[in-house]
Amino acid sequence: MERQADGTGSARRTFLAGAGAGAAAAAIGLPAAGRAAAATGTGTQAAGARAGGAPTVAVLGGGVAGLTAAHELAERGFRVTVYERRALGGKARSFDVPGSARGGRRPLPAEHGFRFIPGIYHNLPDTMRRIPFPGNANGVWDNLVAPPEMAFARTGREDLRAPLPWPGHRGAELTLDDIRRALTALLETATGIPPHEVAYFVNRVVVFLTSCAERRDDTWEARPWWDFTGAARMSHDYQRILAIGVTRNIVATKAEEASTRTVGSLLEAFLFNGLGRGADGPLDRILNAPTNEAWIDPWTDHLASLGVEFRIGWTVREVVYGDGRVTAALIEDPRGVRQRVTADHYISAMPVEHARRTWGAALRAADPQLARCDALRTDWMTGIQFYLTESAPLLKGHLNLIDSPWSLTAIQQAEHWPDRDFAADYGDGTAVNCLSVDISEWDRPGILYGRTAKQCTPDQVAREVWAQLKAALNDTGRTVLKDSALHSWYLDPGVSGLGTPHPVNDDELLIHPVGTLHHRPSARTRVPNFYLAGDYVAVDIDLATMEGANASARQAVNALLERTGSTAPRCTVTPLFQAPEPAPLRRHDLTRYRMGLRNLFDLG
């Protein structure tokens, strides 16, 4: 296998963001020296030093949470500067594979992990509709496309293939062999999970749907999904599909540890999304181009036009507290020089594992919820891309390889990019598609080397993932993935030190073991000019998602507006949909819960 060189490909994004910031600086009347500082991101100007009377806000972090906060604030007249250590978009961005471009083409596109924007999201799609995109009536939201199907890929058995119906949604085109294989998989699964186990799982879903909020936050938050579903005493298929398949492979957490409240709330939302209830759109949506082209670049360009300034390559080292408020942020600029940045307000929009390192003892003492964030846990979920010289005959949608030791999920992307000719637009002209794979399990031995992913070198990780893909997809009489069609691969550069005693992942994912809910902070802190935004902040969607990051940023902006007495309209924060039909039963369950009784349908 050929491995592409490491790198983030962020230079172009940095230049564009800097150019946009320079243009915005000119628009508000900064002198030439100030415009140059804004464009290069190396000036010493503080966020609060710009001319004008509007309050200034320093947004610490340029991922989905930080960009959302900047968007909402800029629309309300605040002067915003975003400080980002690496590249705008954070884990949601796409980036270039270094050295891969030839013949005037763009570099091969890579990503931390493939995008998944389901119809259960409401807040993020609202933001996307407000980001202009040429030719789109609904902004970048119109760049969302819906795969017509998905599959549980089984090793040694036919894959369980499922259509994703939606009004006006054209289904996948199937051959007679596709239909034969789909029926075989359906019947194998039907006979693999005994009827009494199916009935028990359905009962558990009913129990959760009819549980009051108090029971969910207390009893079910404290109980692992594995125990709630009785998985230990069930069949192998029950465990792989209904217990593990919806936890480790989707939210990168173990069924034995995952909070029933988190998993159940997710399943409830997806269930009604599939039924067309309370949804923004189809169950599964992805972007119709690499993420930066379809979303992040238009977003940051729009924010620059609103006057938002960007400092790329600036790393937050400490949020300084004194006299009852945040007085500054110590931020290391691209030259490695620490600078004291001041503003009227500060929004910490970094991932929790990075943010909590910037909170000193005095700041933590001022608000105890900050210290509780130390109990929040993260785990590894990282992407790798395989570039192919022949498109593989895969279904048009996401694959969940539920039998793979490393809990792989994947999607072949080019067929979902109708306005892109992959070979003509990217790389050296020989790669025609990109198979994007997420690795969710990094601590279990693989099938090729008998090592965990963390114990493997990057090249061994690529070979192991490729072997696991082939084991799941080339296992029932046809060759889906060919070694001869593998052009190259690229592993997320946020991972380093693989194969050594101390591997590092710069982009870990928040996970949701039992009790996590009670450690999640609110967006509003006790410090009057300091706010939190990120997927770890307490919002209605209790899951590490772009939707959670977006909703938390909206809550942070609302808290800032309230504290400043602003008359600007508040951000809308839309909760997850709950069907009204079970509401009477949830009210009845509240009475039973307060009496110390089980849910009416809970058979144990």
Coordinates of all heavy atoms in Angstrom, one line a residue, residues 159-215:
D159 N -25.2 -9.5 3.9 CA -25.4 -8.3 4.6 C -26.9 -7.9 4.8 O -27.7 -8.2 3.8 CB -24.7 -7.2 3.9 CG -23.2 -7.4 3.8 OD1 -22.7 -8.2 4.6 OD2 -22.6 -6.8 2.9
L160 N -27.3 -7.4 5.9 CA -28.6 -7.0 6.1 C -28.8 -5.6 5.6 O -28.4 -4.6 6.1 CB -28.9 -7.0 7.6 CG -30.4 -6.7 8.1 CD1 -31.3 -7.8 7.5 CD2 -30.5 -6.8 9.6
R161 N -29.5 -5.5 4.5 CA -29.7 -4.3 3.7 C -31.0 -3.7 3.9 O -32.1 -4.4 3.9 CB -29.5 -4.6 2.2 CG -29.3 -3.4 1.3 CD -28.9 -4.0 -0.1 NE -28.7 -3.0 -1.1 CZ -28.1 -3.2 -2.3 NH1 -27.6 -4.4 -2.5 NH2 -28.0 -2.2 -3.1
A162 N -31.1 -2.4 4.2 CA -32.3 -1.7 4.6 C -32.6 -0.5 3.7 O -31.7 0.4 3.7 CB -32.4 -1.4 6.1
P163 N -33.7 -0.3 3.1 CA -34.0 0.9 2.4 C -34.3 2.0 3.4 O -34.7 1.7 4.5 CB -35.3 0.5 1.6 CG -35.9 -0.5 2.4 CD -34.8 -1.3 3.0
L164 N -34.1 3.2 3.0 CA -34.4 4.4 3.8 C -35.5 5.2 3.1 O -35.2 6.2 2.4 CB -33.2 5.2 4.1 CG -32.0 4.5 4.8 CD1 -30.8 5.4 4.8 CD2 -32.4 4.1 6.2
P165 N -36.8 4.8 3.3 CA -37.8 5.5 2.5 C -38.1 6.9 3.0 O -37.9 7.2 4.2 CB -39.1 4.6 2.8 CG -38.8 4.0 4.1 CD -37.3 3.8 4.2
W166 N -38.5 7.8 2.1 CA -38.9 9.1 2.4 C -39.7 9.7 1.3 O -39.5 9.3 0.1 CB -37.6 10.0 2.6 CG -37.9 11.3 3.2 CD1 -38.0 12.6 2.6 CD2 -38.2 11.6 4.6 NE1 -38.3 13.5 3.5 CE2 -38.4 13.0 4.7 CE3 -38.2 10.8 5.7 CZ2 -38.7 13.6 5.9 CZ3 -38.5 11.4 6.9 CH2 -38.8 12.7 7.0
P167 N -40.8 10.5 1.5 CA -41.6 11.0 0.4 C -40.8 11.6 -0.6 O -39.9 12.5 -0.4 CB -42.5 12.0 1.2 CG -42.6 11.4 2.6 CD -41.3 10.9 2.9
G168 N -41.0 11.2 -1.9 CA -40.3 11.8 -3.0 C -38.8 11.3 -3.1 O -38.1 11.8 -4.0
H169 N -38.5 10.3 -2.3 CA -37.1 9.8 -2.3 C -37.1 8.5 -3.2 O -37.8 7.5 -3.0 CB -36.8 9.4 -0.8 CG -35.4 9.1 -0.6 ND1 -34.8 7.8 -0.9 CD2 -34.4 9.8 0.0 CE1 -33.6 7.8 -0.5 NE2 -33.3 9.0 0.0
R170 N -36.2 8.6 -4.2 CA -36.1 7.4 -5.1 C -35.2 6.3 -4.4 O -34.2 6.6 -3.9 CB -35.4 7.8 -6.4 CG -35.3 6.7 -7.4 CD -34.6 7.2 -8.6 NE -34.4 6.1 -9.6 CZ -33.8 6.2 -10.8 NH1 -33.3 7.4 -11.1 NH2 -33.6 5.2 -11.5
G171 N -35.7 5.1 -4.4 CA -35.0 4.0 -3.8 C -33.8 3.6 -4.6 O -33.6 4.1 -5.8
A172 N -33.0 2.7 -4.0 CA -31.8 2.2 -4.7 C -32.2 1.3 -5.9 O -33.2 0.6 -5.8 CB -30.9 1.5 -3.7
E173 N -31.4 1.3 -6.9 CA -31.6 0.4 -8.0 C -31.0 -1.0 -7.7 O -29.8 -1.1 -7.4 CB -31.0 0.9 -9.3 CG -31.7 2.2 -9.7 CD -31.0 2.8 -11.0 OE1 -30.1 2.1 -11.5 OE2 -31.4 3.9 -11.4
L174 N -31.8 -2.0 -7.7 CA -31.4 -3.4 -7.3 C -31.4 -4.3 -8.4 O -32.4 -4.3 -9.3 CB -32.3 -3.9 -6.2 CG -32.4 -3.0 -4.9 CD1 -33.4 -3.7 -4.0 CD2 -31.1 -2.9 -4.2
T175 N -30.4 -5.2 -8.5 CA -30.4 -6.3 -9.4 C -31.1 -7.5 -8.8 O -31.4 -7.5 -7.6 CB -29.0 -6.7 -9.8 OG1 -28.3 -7.2 -8.6 CG2 -28.2 -5.5 -10.3
L176 N -31.4 -8.5 -9.6 CA -32.0 -9.7 -9.1 C -31.1 -10.3 -8.0 O -31.6 -10.8 -7.0 CB -32.3 -10.7 -10.2 CG -33.0 -12.0 -9.8 CD1 -34.4 -11.7 -9.3 CD2 -33.1 -12.9 -11.0
D177 N -29.8 -10.3 -8.2 CA -28.9 -10.8 -7.2 C -29.0 -10.0 -5.9 O -28.9 -10.6 -4.8 CB -27.5 -10.9 -7.7 CG -26.5 -11.5 -6.8 OD1 -26.7 -12.7 -6.5 OD2 -25.5 -10.9 -6.3
D178 N -29.1 -8.7 -6.0 CA -29.2 -7.8 -4.8 C -30.5 -8.2 -4.1 O -30.4 -8.3 -2.8 CB -29.3 -6.4 -5.2 CG -28.0 -5.8 -5.8 OD1 -27.0 -6.3 -5.4 OD2 -28.1 -4.8 -6.6
I179 N -31.6 -8.5 -4.8 CA -32.8 -8.8 -4.1 C -32.7 -10.2 -3.4 O -33.1 -10.4 -2.3 CB -34.0 -8.8 -5.1 CG1 -34.2 -7.4 -5.6 CG2 -35.3 -9.4 -4.5 CD1 -35.2 -7.3 -6.8
R180 N -32.0 -11.1 -4.1 CA -31.8 -12.5 -3.5 C -31.0 -12.4 -2.2 O -31.4 -13.0 -1.2 CB -31.1 -13.4 -4.5 CG -30.8 -14.8 -4.0 CD -30.0 -15.6 -5.0 NE -28.7 -15.0 -5.2 CZ -27.6 -15.2 -4.3 NH1 -27.8 -15.9 -3.2 NH2 -26.5 -14.6 -4.6
R181 N -29.9 -11.6 -2.3 CA -29.1 -11.5 -1.1 C -29.8 -10.8 0.0 O -29.7 -11.1 1.2 CB -27.8 -10.7 -1.5 CG -26.9 -11.5 -2.4 CD -25.7 -10.7 -2.9 NE -24.8 -11.5 -3.7 CZ -23.9 -12.3 -3.3 NH1 -23.6 -12.4 -2.0 NH2 -23.1 -13.0 -4.2
A182 N -30.6 -9.7 -0.3 CA -31.3 -9.0 0.8 C -32.3 -9.9 1.5 O -32.5 -9.8 2.7 CB -32.0 -7.8 0.1
L183 N -33.1 -10.7 0.7 CA -34.0 -11.6 1.3 C -33.3 -12.7 2.1 O -33.8 -13.0 3.2 CB -34.9 -12.3 0.2 CG -35.9 -11.4 -0.5 CD1 -36.5 -12.1 -1.7 CD2 -37.0 -10.9 0.5
T184 N -32.2 -13.2 1.7 CA -31.5 -14.1 2.4 C -31.0 -13.6 3.8 O -31.2 -14.2 4.8 CB -30.2 -14.6 1.7 OG1 -30.6 -15.2 0.4 CG2 -29.4 -15.6 2.5
A185 N -30.5 -12.3 3.8 CA -30.1 -11.7 5.0 C -31.2 -11.5 5.9 O -31.1 -11.7 7.2 CB -29.4 -10.4 4.7
L186 N -32.4 -11.0 5.4 CA -33.5 -10.8 6.2 C -34.0 -12.0 6.9 O -34.3 -12.0 8.1 CB -34.6 -10.2 5.4 CG -35.9 -9.7 6.1 CD1 -35.6 -8.6 7.1 CD2 -37.0 -9.3 5.1
L187 N -34.1 -13.1 6.2 CA -34.5 -14.4 6.7 C -33.5 -15.0 7.7 O -33.9 -15.5 8.8 CB -34.8 -15.4 5.6 CG -36.0 -15.0 4.8 CD1 -36.2 -16.0 3.6 CD2 -37.3 -15.1 5.6
E188 N -32.2 -14.8 7.4 CA -31.2 -15.3 8.4 C -31.3 -14.5 9.7 O -31.2 -15.1 10.8 CB -29.8 -15.1 7.8 CG -29.4 -16.1 6.7 CD -28.0 -15.8 6.1 OE1 -27.5 -14.7 6.4 OE2 -27.5 -16.7 5.5
T189 N -31.5 -13.2 9.6 CA -31.6 -12.4 10.8 C -32.9 -12.8 11.6 O -32.9 -12.9 12.8 CB -31.6 -10.9 10.5 OG1 -30.4 -10.6 9.8 CG2 -31.7 -10.1 11.7
A190 N -34.0 -13.0 10.8 CA -35.3 -13.3 11.5 C -35.2 -14.6 12.2 O -35.8 -14.8 13.3 CB -36.4 -13.4 10.4
T191 N -34.4 -15.6 11.6 CA -34.3 -16.9 12.3 C -33.2 -16.8 13.4 O -33.1 -17.7 14.3 CB -34.0 -18.0 11.3 OG1 -32.9 -17.6 10.5 CG2 -35.2 -18.1 10.4
G192 N -32.2 -15.9 13.2 CA -31.1 -15.8 14.2 C -31.5 -15.2 15.5 O -30.9 -15.4 16.5
I193 N -32.5 -14.3 15.5 CA -33.0 -13.7 16.7 C -34.4 -14.3 17.1 O -35.4 -14.1 16.4 CB -33.2 -12.2 16.6 CG1 -31.9 -11.5 16.2 CG2 -33.7 -11.6 17.9 CD1 -31.9 -10.0 16.0
P194 N -34.4 -15.2 18.1 CA -35.7 -15.9 18.5 C -36.8 -14.9 18.7 O -36.6 -13.8 19.2 CB -35.3 -16.6 19.7 CG -33.8 -16.7 19.7 CD -33.3 -15.5 19.0
P195 N -38.1 -15.3 18.5 CA -39.2 -14.5 18.6 C -39.3 -13.9 20.1 O -39.7 -12.7 20.2 CB -40.4 -15.4 18.3 CG -39.8 -16.4 17.4 CD -38.4 -16.6 17.8
H196 N -39.0 -14.7 21.1 CA -39.1 -14.1 22.4 C -38.1 -13.0 22.7 O -38.4 -12.1 23.5 CB -39.0 -15.3 23.4 CG -37.6 -15.8 23.7 ND1 -37.0 -16.7 22.8 CD2 -36.7 -15.5 24.6 CE1 -35.8 -17.0 23.2 NE2 -35.5 -16.2 24.3
E197 N -37.0 -13.1 22.0 CA -36.0 -12.0 22.2 C -36.5 -10.7 21.5 O -36.3 -9.6 22.0 CB -34.6 -12.4 21.7 CG -34.0 -13.5 22.5 CD -32.6 -13.9 22.0 OE1 -32.1 -13.2 21.1 OE2 -32.0 -14.8 22.6
V198 N -37.1 -10.9 20.3 CA -37.6 -9.7 19.6 C -38.7 -9.1 20.5 O -38.7 -7.9 20.6 CB -38.2 -10.2 18.2 CG1 -39.0 -9.0 17.6 CG2 -37.1 -10.7 17.3
A199 N -39.6 -9.9 21.0 CA -40.6 -9.4 21.9 C -40.1 -8.6 23.1 O -40.6 -7.6 23.5 CB -41.6 -10.5 22.3
Y200 N -39.0 -9.2 23.7 CA -38.4 -8.5 24.8 C -37.8 -7.2 24.4 O -38.0 -6.2 25.2 CB -37.3 -9.4 25.4 CG -36.7 -8.8 26.7 CD1 -37.4 -8.9 27.9 CD2 -35.5 -8.2 26.6 CE1 -36.9 -8.4 29.1 CE2 -35.0 -7.6 27.8 CZ -35.6 -7.7 29.0 OH -35.1 -7.2 30.1
F201 N -37.1 -7.1 23.3 CA -36.5 -5.8 22.9 C -37.6 -4.8 22.6 O -37.5 -3.6 23.0 CB -35.7 -6.0 21.7 CG -35.0 -4.8 21.2 CD1 -33.8 -4.4 21.9 CD2 -35.5 -4.0 20.2 CE1 -33.1 -3.2 21.5 CE2 -34.8 -2.8 19.8 CZ -33.6 -2.4 20.5
V202 N -38.7 -5.2 22.0 CA -39.8 -4.3 21.7 C -40.4 -3.8 23.0 O -40.7 -2.6 23.2 CB -40.9 -5.0 20.8 CG1 -42.1 -4.1 20.8 CG2 -40.3 -5.3 19.4
N203 N -40.5 -4.7 24.0 CA -41.0 -4.3 25.3 C -40.1 -3.2 25.9 O -40.5 -2.2 26.5 CB -41.1 -5.5 26.2 CG -41.3 -5.1 27.7 OD1 -40.4 -5.0 28.5 ND2 -42.6 -4.7 28.0
R204 N -38.8 -3.4 25.8 CA -37.8 -2.4 26.4 C -38.0 -1.1 25.7 O -37.9 0.0 26.3 CB -36.4 -2.9 26.2 CG -36.1 -4.3 26.8 CD -36.7 -4.5 28.2 NE -36.0 -3.7 29.2 CZ -36.5 -3.5 30.4 NH1 -37.8 -3.9 30.7 NH2 -35.8 -2.8 31.3
V205 N -38.2 -1.1 24.4 CA -38.4 0.2 23.7 C -39.7 0.9 24.2 O -39.7 2.1 24.4 CB -38.5 0.0 22.2 CG1 -38.9 1.3 21.4 CG2 -37.2 -0.5 21.6
V206 N -40.7 0.1 24.4 CA -42.0 0.6 24.9 C -41.8 1.2 26.3 O -42.3 2.3 26.7 CB -43.1 -0.4 24.9 CG1 -44.3 0.0 25.7 CG2 -43.5 -0.8 23.5
V207 N -41.0 0.5 27.1 CA -40.7 1.0 28.5 C -40.0 2.4 28.4 O -40.4 3.3 29.1 CB -39.8 0.0 29.3 CG1 -39.3 0.6 30.5 CG2 -40.6 -1.3 29.6
F208 N -39.1 2.5 27.5 CA -38.3 3.7 27.4 C -39.3 4.8 26.9 O -39.3 6.0 27.4 CB -37.1 3.6 26.6 CG -36.2 4.8 26.6 CD1 -35.3 4.9 27.6 CD2 -36.4 5.9 25.7 CE1 -34.5 6.1 27.7 CE2 -35.6 7.0 25.8 CZ -34.6 7.1 26.8
L209 N -40.0 4.5 25.9 CA -40.9 5.6 25.3 C -41.9 6.1 26.3 O -42.3 7.3 26.2 CB -41.7 5.0 24.1 CG -40.8 4.7 22.8 CD1 -41.7 4.1 21.7 CD2 -40.2 5.9 22.3
T210 N -42.3 5.3 27.2 CA -43.4 5.7 28.2 C -42.8 6.1 29.5 O -43.5 6.4 30.5 CB -44.4 4.6 28.4 OG1 -43.7 3.4 28.9 CG2 -45.1 4.2 27.1
S211 N -41.4 6.2 29.6 CA -40.8 6.6 30.9 C -40.8 8.1 31.0 O -40.5 8.8 30.0 CB -39.4 6.1 30.9 OG -39.3 4.7 31.1
C212 N -41.1 8.6 32.2 CA -41.1 10.1 32.4 C -39.6 10.6 32.4 O -38.7 9.8 32.5 CB -41.7 10.4 33.7 SG -40.9 9.7 35.2
A213 N -39.5 11.9 32.3 CA -38.1 12.5 32.2 C -37.3 12.2 33.5 O -36.1 12.0 33.4 CB -38.3 14.0 32.0
E214 N -38.0 12.2 34.6 CA -37.3 11.9 35.9 C -36.7 10.5 35.9 O -35.6 10.3 36.3 CB -38.2 12.2 37.0 CG -38.5 13.6 37.3 CD -39.6 14.2 36.4 OE1 -40.1 13.5 35.5 OE2 -40.0 15.4 36.6
R215 N -37.5 9.5 35.4 CA -37.0 8.2 35.4 C -35.8 8.0 34.4 O -34.8 7.3 34.7 CB -38.1 7.2 35.0 CG -37.7 5.7 35.3 CD -38.8 4.7 34.8 NE -40.0 4.9 35.5 CZ -40.4 4.4 36.7 NH1 -39.4 3.7 37.3 NH2 -41.5 4.5 37.2

